[in-house]
Amino acid sequence: MSIIEQFSLTDRTALVTGARREIGRAIALTLAELGARLAIHHAGTAEEAADADAVVREIEQAGGVACAFAQDFAHDDAGRHLAAAVSAWAAVDILVLNASIELPEAYEDISRAHFDRQIAVNLRTPLELLQSLVPPMAERGWGRVLTIGSVQQMRPHPKMMVYAGTKAAQWNWMRNLARQFGGKGVTVNNLAPGAILTARNRAQMAVEGAALIERIPAGRLGHPNDLRGAAALLCSDAGAYINGVNLYVDGGRAAV
């Protein structure tokens, strides 16, 4: 098999959570370009539905197949409902857990409501998706799970205690599942972006970006498209012997 063929995802189906914009969108478009059918998840607001529909149209205009699925991850049983809806459309071969929320605040000000919401969206619902979708991958003998972590899992910001903790827990889960399913054709890896300029952190980067760039060997902030190559590798046969890895895409910041 040629290296080009190893990257092909023809006849595979990928579910990318939080795929309506930024990092999720970039990964979804990449997997579609490699031939996968794409389930584009969004949280269900009118704005998010419009964004997700735009991603679907872009994939279809390029000759691909895609469908949008709405599910608010803060709701009870959200992961099971989303897994059932997407599986009724097509069996899921690739699961990219990208959707998450961060509610920055000083640790002494963390409220029960903010804590519970971040746990629900960042951990509880992803766990339900893993429980629902990974065993069928193992039964078919092929699967890819890619979680989108963060530099926060190792370098927590003082005002992101809960968010950073969920990302650290997610990485722990991925190592656990990699050991359980690695012999069944399923790889489980974590892709940890560094300082990627997105709508969510644009205001923060306007204040902290210049100082942060001085600590990044690449000399710049990252962009969502910087994650495309790593995602393609870890979601395809090209990465079949990569399992249980935490891959930083951070311009070298982790090395400093």
Side-chain angles (χ1 to χ4, degrees), residues 82-127:
L82 179 60
V86 177
S87 296
W89 179 64
V92 176
D93 303 295
I94 301 164
L95 173 61
V96 180
L97 292 173
N98 169 70
S100 67
I101 60 170
E102 57 183 50
L103 302 174
E105 54 195 344
Y107 84 92
E108 63 268 23
D109 296 327
I110 296 170
S111 67
R112 173 67 182 269
H114 283 181
F115 177 84
D116 287 351
R117 183 169 178 81
Q118 289 175 95
I119 294 298
V121 174
N122 299 358
L123 288 178
R124 189 188 69 212
T125 293
L127 175 61

Short mmCIF file of all heavy atoms in Angstrom, two decimals, residues 82-127:
data_model
loop_
_atom_site.label_atom_id
_atom_site.label_comp_id
_atom_site.label_asym_id
_atom_site.label_seq_id
_atom_site.Cartn_x
_atom_site.Cartn_y
_atom_site.Cartn_z
N LEU A 82 -26.75 11.13 20.66
CA LEU A 82 -25.98 11.47 19.47
C LEU A 82 -25.43 10.22 18.80
O LEU A 82 -25.49 10.08 17.57
CB LEU A 82 -24.85 12.43 19.82
CG LEU A 82 -23.94 12.85 18.65
CD1 LEU A 82 -24.74 13.57 17.57
CD2 LEU A 82 -22.79 13.74 19.15
N ALA A 83 -24.89 9.30 19.59
CA ALA A 83 -24.35 8.06 19.03
C ALA A 83 -25.42 7.29 18.27
O ALA A 83 -25.17 6.76 17.18
CB ALA A 83 -23.75 7.20 20.13
N ALA A 84 -26.63 7.22 18.83
CA ALA A 84 -27.71 6.49 18.18
C ALA A 84 -28.11 7.16 16.87
O ALA A 84 -28.33 6.48 15.85
CB ALA A 84 -28.91 6.39 19.12
N ALA A 85 -28.20 8.49 16.89
CA ALA A 85 -28.62 9.21 15.68
C ALA A 85 -27.61 9.05 14.56
O ALA A 85 -27.97 8.78 13.40
CB ALA A 85 -28.82 10.69 16.01
N VAL A 86 -26.33 9.21 14.88
CA VAL A 86 -25.30 9.09 13.84
C VAL A 86 -25.18 7.65 13.37
O VAL A 86 -25.05 7.40 12.16
CB VAL A 86 -23.94 9.61 14.36
CG1 VAL A 86 -22.87 9.42 13.29
CG2 VAL A 86 -24.04 11.09 14.75
N SER A 87 -25.25 6.69 14.26
CA SER A 87 -25.12 5.28 13.88
C SER A 87 -26.26 4.84 12.99
O SER A 87 -26.09 3.94 12.15
CB SER A 87 -25.05 4.39 15.13
OG SER A 87 -23.88 4.69 15.89
N ALA A 88 -27.43 5.44 13.15
CA ALA A 88 -28.56 5.13 12.27
C ALA A 88 -28.29 5.64 10.85
O ALA A 88 -28.82 5.10 9.88
CB ALA A 88 -29.84 5.74 12.82
N TRP A 89 -27.46 6.68 10.74
CA TRP A 89 -27.08 7.23 9.43
C TRP A 89 -25.96 6.40 8.82
O TRP A 89 -26.02 6.04 7.64
CB TRP A 89 -26.65 8.68 9.63
CG TRP A 89 -26.18 9.39 8.41
CD1 TRP A 89 -26.92 9.69 7.29
CD2 TRP A 89 -24.87 9.93 8.18
NE1 TRP A 89 -26.13 10.38 6.38
CE2 TRP A 89 -24.88 10.54 6.91
CE3 TRP A 89 -23.70 9.97 8.94
CZ2 TRP A 89 -23.75 11.17 6.37
CZ3 TRP A 89 -22.59 10.60 8.42
CH2 TRP A 89 -22.62 11.19 7.15
N ALA A 90 -24.95 6.07 9.62
CA ALA A 90 -23.81 5.25 9.15
C ALA A 90 -23.01 4.80 10.36
O ALA A 90 -22.91 5.52 11.36
CB ALA A 90 -22.92 6.06 8.21
N ALA A 91 -22.45 3.60 10.28
CA ALA A 91 -21.61 3.09 11.37
C ALA A 91 -20.37 3.96 11.51
O ALA A 91 -19.68 4.25 10.52
CB ALA A 91 -21.21 1.64 11.09
N VAL A 92 -20.05 4.36 12.72
CA VAL A 92 -18.95 5.30 12.96
C VAL A 92 -17.63 4.54 13.08
O VAL A 92 -17.47 3.66 13.92
CB VAL A 92 -19.21 6.12 14.24
CG1 VAL A 92 -18.01 7.02 14.54
CG2 VAL A 92 -20.48 6.96 14.09
N ASP A 93 -16.68 4.92 12.24
CA ASP A 93 -15.33 4.33 12.26
C ASP A 93 -14.33 5.23 12.97
O ASP A 93 -13.32 4.74 13.50
CB ASP A 93 -14.82 4.12 10.83
CG ASP A 93 -15.75 3.25 10.01
OD1 ASP A 93 -15.92 2.07 10.35
OD2 ASP A 93 -16.33 3.77 9.02
N ILE A 94 -14.58 6.54 12.95
CA ILE A 94 -13.65 7.53 13.50
C ILE A 94 -14.43 8.45 14.41
O ILE A 94 -15.43 9.05 13.99
CB ILE A 94 -12.98 8.34 12.37
CG1 ILE A 94 -12.22 7.43 11.40
CG2 ILE A 94 -12.06 9.41 12.95
CD1 ILE A 94 -11.87 8.10 10.08
N LEU A 95 -13.98 8.59 15.63
CA LEU A 95 -14.60 9.49 16.58
C LEU A 95 -13.58 10.55 16.99
O LEU A 95 -12.54 10.23 17.57
CB LEU A 95 -15.08 8.73 17.82
CG LEU A 95 -15.62 9.56 18.99
CD1 LEU A 95 -16.84 10.39 18.56
CD2 LEU A 95 -15.95 8.68 20.18
N VAL A 96 -13.89 11.80 16.68
CA VAL A 96 -13.03 12.92 17.07
C VAL A 96 -13.77 13.71 18.14
O VAL A 96 -14.80 14.34 17.86
CB VAL A 96 -12.68 13.83 15.88
CG1 VAL A 96 -11.79 14.99 16.34
CG2 VAL A 96 -11.99 13.03 14.78
N LEU A 97 -13.27 13.67 19.36
CA LEU A 97 -13.90 14.36 20.48
C LEU A 97 -13.26 15.75 20.62
O LEU A 97 -12.25 15.92 21.28
CB LEU A 97 -13.72 13.55 21.76
CG LEU A 97 -14.49 12.22 21.80
CD1 LEU A 97 -14.11 11.41 23.03
CD2 LEU A 97 -15.99 12.45 21.75
N ASN A 98 -13.91 16.70 19.97
CA ASN A 98 -13.38 18.06 19.92
C ASN A 98 -14.20 19.03 20.77
O ASN A 98 -13.65 19.97 21.34
CB ASN A 98 -13.35 18.55 18.47
CG ASN A 98 -13.07 20.03 18.37
OD1 ASN A 98 -11.97 20.49 18.65
ND2 ASN A 98 -14.08 20.80 17.98
N ALA A 99 -15.50 18.82 20.90
CA ALA A 99 -16.37 19.76 21.60
C ALA A 99 -15.99 19.87 23.07
O ALA A 99 -15.79 18.86 23.75
CB ALA A 99 -17.83 19.31 21.48
N SER A 100 -15.87 21.08 23.55
CA SER A 100 -15.61 21.32 24.96
C SER A 100 -15.96 22.76 25.29
O SER A 100 -16.13 23.58 24.39
CB SER A 100 -14.14 21.04 25.32
OG SER A 100 -13.29 21.99 24.70
N ILE A 101 -16.06 23.05 26.57
CA ILE A 101 -16.29 24.44 26.99
C ILE A 101 -15.30 24.78 28.09
O ILE A 101 -14.86 23.91 28.84
CB ILE A 101 -17.73 24.69 27.47
CG1 ILE A 101 -18.06 23.80 28.67
CG2 ILE A 101 -18.72 24.51 26.35
CD1 ILE A 101 -19.36 24.17 29.36
N GLU A 102 -14.93 26.04 28.16
CA GLU A 102 -14.09 26.53 29.25
C GLU A 102 -14.74 27.78 29.83
O GLU A 102 -15.17 28.66 29.10
CB GLU A 102 -12.67 26.84 28.76
CG GLU A 102 -12.59 27.84 27.63
CD GLU A 102 -11.17 28.05 27.14
OE1 GLU A 102 -10.49 27.06 26.86
OE2 GLU A 102 -10.75 29.24 27.04
N LEU A 103 -14.85 27.81 31.14
CA LEU A 103 -15.46 28.94 31.83
C LEU A 103 -14.41 29.51 32.80
O LEU A 103 -14.35 29.11 33.96
CB LEU A 103 -16.71 28.50 32.59
CG LEU A 103 -17.81 27.86 31.73
CD1 LEU A 103 -18.93 27.32 32.60
CD2 LEU A 103 -18.34 28.85 30.71
N PRO A 104 -13.56 30.40 32.32
CA PRO A 104 -12.46 30.90 33.14
C PRO A 104 -12.94 31.67 34.37
O PRO A 104 -13.83 32.53 34.27
CB PRO A 104 -11.71 31.84 32.18
CG PRO A 104 -12.14 31.43 30.81
CD PRO A 104 -13.54 30.97 30.96
N GLU A 105 -12.37 31.35 35.51
CA GLU A 105 -12.64 32.08 36.75
C GLU A 105 -11.64 31.63 37.80
O GLU A 105 -11.08 30.54 37.71
CB GLU A 105 -14.08 31.82 37.24
CG GLU A 105 -14.43 30.37 37.40
CD GLU A 105 -15.93 30.15 37.54
OE1 GLU A 105 -16.67 31.11 37.81
OE2 GLU A 105 -16.37 29.00 37.37
N ALA A 106 -11.40 32.49 38.76
CA ALA A 106 -10.49 32.15 39.86
C ALA A 106 -11.03 30.93 40.60
O ALA A 106 -12.25 30.77 40.74
CB ALA A 106 -10.35 33.33 40.81
N TYR A 107 -10.13 30.08 41.11
CA TYR A 107 -10.58 28.82 41.69
C TYR A 107 -11.53 29.03 42.86
O TYR A 107 -12.47 28.23 43.07
CB TYR A 107 -9.38 27.96 42.11
CG TYR A 107 -8.81 28.28 43.47
CD1 TYR A 107 -9.24 27.61 44.60
CD2 TYR A 107 -7.84 29.26 43.61
CE1 TYR A 107 -8.72 27.91 45.85
CE2 TYR A 107 -7.32 29.56 44.84
CZ TYR A 107 -7.76 28.88 45.97
OH TYR A 107 -7.25 29.19 47.19
N GLU A 108 -11.36 30.12 43.62
CA GLU A 108 -12.24 30.33 44.76
C GLU A 108 -13.64 30.78 44.35
O GLU A 108 -14.57 30.77 45.17
CB GLU A 108 -11.63 31.35 45.73
CG GLU A 108 -11.45 32.75 45.17
CD GLU A 108 -10.08 32.97 44.55
OE1 GLU A 108 -9.44 31.96 44.16
OE2 GLU A 108 -9.65 34.13 44.47
N ASP A 109 -13.80 31.15 43.09
CA ASP A 109 -15.10 31.61 42.60
C ASP A 109 -15.85 30.56 41.79
O ASP A 109 -16.95 30.82 41.30
CB ASP A 109 -14.92 32.86 41.72
CG ASP A 109 -14.36 34.04 42.49
OD1 ASP A 109 -14.68 34.16 43.68
OD2 ASP A 109 -13.60 34.84 41.89
N ILE A 110 -15.27 29.38 41.65
CA ILE A 110 -15.92 28.34 40.83
C ILE A 110 -17.25 27.95 41.47
O ILE A 110 -17.31 27.56 42.63
CB ILE A 110 -15.02 27.10 40.70
CG1 ILE A 110 -13.73 27.46 39.95
CG2 ILE A 110 -15.76 25.98 39.97
CD1 ILE A 110 -12.68 26.37 39.98
N SER A 111 -18.32 28.06 40.69
CA SER A 111 -19.65 27.71 41.19
C SER A 111 -19.99 26.27 40.84
O SER A 111 -19.40 25.67 39.93
CB SER A 111 -20.69 28.64 40.58
OG SER A 111 -20.81 28.40 39.19
N ARG A 112 -20.96 25.72 41.56
CA ARG A 112 -21.41 24.36 41.27
C ARG A 112 -21.95 24.27 39.85
O ARG A 112 -21.70 23.31 39.13
CB ARG A 112 -22.50 23.96 42.29
CG ARG A 112 -23.18 22.63 41.99
CD ARG A 112 -22.26 21.44 42.14
NE ARG A 112 -22.91 20.19 41.81
CZ ARG A 112 -23.56 19.43 42.72
NH1 ARG A 112 -23.63 19.81 43.98
NH2 ARG A 112 -24.12 18.29 42.35
N ALA A 113 -22.69 25.30 39.42
CA ALA A 113 -23.28 25.29 38.08
C ALA A 113 -22.19 25.27 37.00
O ALA A 113 -22.29 24.51 36.03
CB ALA A 113 -24.18 26.50 37.89
N HIS A 114 -21.17 26.11 37.16
CA HIS A 114 -20.09 26.14 36.17
C HIS A 114 -19.28 24.84 36.19
O HIS A 114 -18.88 24.34 35.13
CB HIS A 114 -19.17 27.33 36.42
CG HIS A 114 -19.75 28.63 35.97
ND1 HIS A 114 -19.08 29.83 36.09
CD2 HIS A 114 -20.94 28.92 35.40
CE1 HIS A 114 -19.82 30.80 35.60
NE2 HIS A 114 -20.96 30.28 35.18
N PHE A 115 -19.03 24.32 37.37
CA PHE A 115 -18.32 23.05 37.48
C PHE A 115 -19.10 21.94 36.78
O PHE A 115 -18.55 21.20 35.95
CB PHE A 115 -18.12 22.71 38.96
CG PHE A 115 -17.47 21.37 39.19
CD1 PHE A 115 -16.08 21.24 39.16
CD2 PHE A 115 -18.23 20.23 39.43
CE1 PHE A 115 -15.47 20.00 39.37
CE2 PHE A 115 -17.63 18.99 39.63
CZ PHE A 115 -16.26 18.88 39.61
N ASP A 116 -20.38 21.82 37.10
CA ASP A 116 -21.19 20.73 36.54
C ASP A 116 -21.30 20.83 35.02
O ASP A 116 -21.27 19.80 34.33
CB ASP A 116 -22.59 20.74 37.16
CG ASP A 116 -22.61 20.25 38.59
OD1 ASP A 116 -21.57 19.73 39.06
OD2 ASP A 116 -23.66 20.39 39.26
N ARG A 117 -21.43 22.06 34.51
CA ARG A 117 -21.56 22.21 33.05
C ARG A 117 -20.29 21.77 32.34
O ARG A 117 -20.35 21.07 31.31
CB ARG A 117 -21.91 23.65 32.69
CG ARG A 117 -22.12 23.86 31.19
CD ARG A 117 -22.71 25.21 30.88
NE ARG A 117 -22.86 25.39 29.44
CZ ARG A 117 -23.86 24.92 28.71
NH1 ARG A 117 -24.81 24.21 29.31
NH2 ARG A 117 -23.91 25.11 27.41
N GLN A 118 -19.13 22.16 32.84
CA GLN A 118 -17.88 21.77 32.20
C GLN A 118 -17.65 20.26 32.30
O GLN A 118 -17.16 19.63 31.36
CB GLN A 118 -16.71 22.54 32.82
CG GLN A 118 -16.73 24.01 32.44
CD GLN A 118 -15.66 24.81 33.14
OE1 GLN A 118 -14.57 25.04 32.61
NE2 GLN A 118 -15.96 25.28 34.35
N ILE A 119 -18.01 19.67 33.44
CA ILE A 119 -17.88 18.23 33.57
C ILE A 119 -18.81 17.51 32.60
O ILE A 119 -18.42 16.52 31.95
CB ILE A 119 -18.17 17.79 35.03
CG1 ILE A 119 -17.10 18.34 35.98
CG2 ILE A 119 -18.27 16.28 35.13
CD1 ILE A 119 -15.70 17.84 35.71
N ALA A 120 -20.03 17.99 32.47
CA ALA A 120 -20.99 17.35 31.56
C ALA A 120 -20.53 17.40 30.11
O ALA A 120 -20.54 16.39 29.40
CB ALA A 120 -22.37 18.02 31.70
N VAL A 121 -20.11 18.58 29.68
CA VAL A 121 -19.74 18.76 28.27
C VAL A 121 -18.39 18.14 27.95
O VAL A 121 -18.21 17.51 26.90
CB VAL A 121 -19.74 20.26 27.91
CG1 VAL A 121 -19.22 20.48 26.49
CG2 VAL A 121 -21.14 20.84 28.05
N ASN A 122 -17.44 18.28 28.85
CA ASN A 122 -16.06 17.86 28.56
C ASN A 122 -15.77 16.42 28.92
O ASN A 122 -14.82 15.83 28.38
CB ASN A 122 -15.07 18.76 29.30
CG ASN A 122 -15.16 20.22 28.88
OD1 ASN A 122 -15.95 20.58 28.02
ND2 ASN A 122 -14.39 21.07 29.52
N LEU A 123 -16.57 15.83 29.84
CA LEU A 123 -16.27 14.47 30.28
C LEU A 123 -17.46 13.51 30.21
O LEU A 123 -17.34 12.42 29.65
CB LEU A 123 -15.73 14.49 31.72
CG LEU A 123 -14.32 15.05 31.92
CD1 LEU A 123 -13.95 15.05 33.40
CD2 LEU A 123 -13.29 14.24 31.13
N ARG A 124 -18.59 13.89 30.80
CA ARG A 124 -19.69 12.92 30.89
C ARG A 124 -20.21 12.50 29.51
O ARG A 124 -20.33 11.30 29.22
CB ARG A 124 -20.84 13.49 31.72
CG ARG A 124 -21.93 12.46 32.05
CD ARG A 124 -23.13 13.11 32.70
NE ARG A 124 -23.86 13.96 31.78
CZ ARG A 124 -24.52 15.06 32.14
NH1 ARG A 124 -24.49 15.47 33.40
NH2 ARG A 124 -25.18 15.77 31.24
N THR A 125 -20.52 13.48 28.68
CA THR A 125 -21.05 13.14 27.36
C THR A 125 -20.01 12.47 26.47
O THR A 125 -20.32 11.48 25.79
CB THR A 125 -21.63 14.39 26.69
OG1 THR A 125 -22.79 14.80 27.44
CG2 THR A 125 -22.05 14.12 25.25
N PRO A 126 -18.75 12.92 26.45
CA PRO A 126 -17.74 12.16 25.71
C PRO A 126 -17.60 10.71 26.18
O PRO A 126 -17.41 9.81 25.36
CB PRO A 126 -16.45 12.96 25.96
CG PRO A 126 -16.93 14.36 26.14
CD PRO A 126 -18.22 14.23 26.90
N LEU A 127 -17.73 10.48 27.48
CA LEU A 127 -17.68 9.10 27.98
C LEU A 127 -18.81 8.28 27.38
O LEU A 127 -18.61 7.12 26.97
CB LEU A 127 -17.76 9.08 29.50
CG LEU A 127 -17.85 7.69 30.14
CD1 LEU A 127 -16.61 6.86 29.81
CD2 LEU A 127 -18.03 7.80 31.65
#
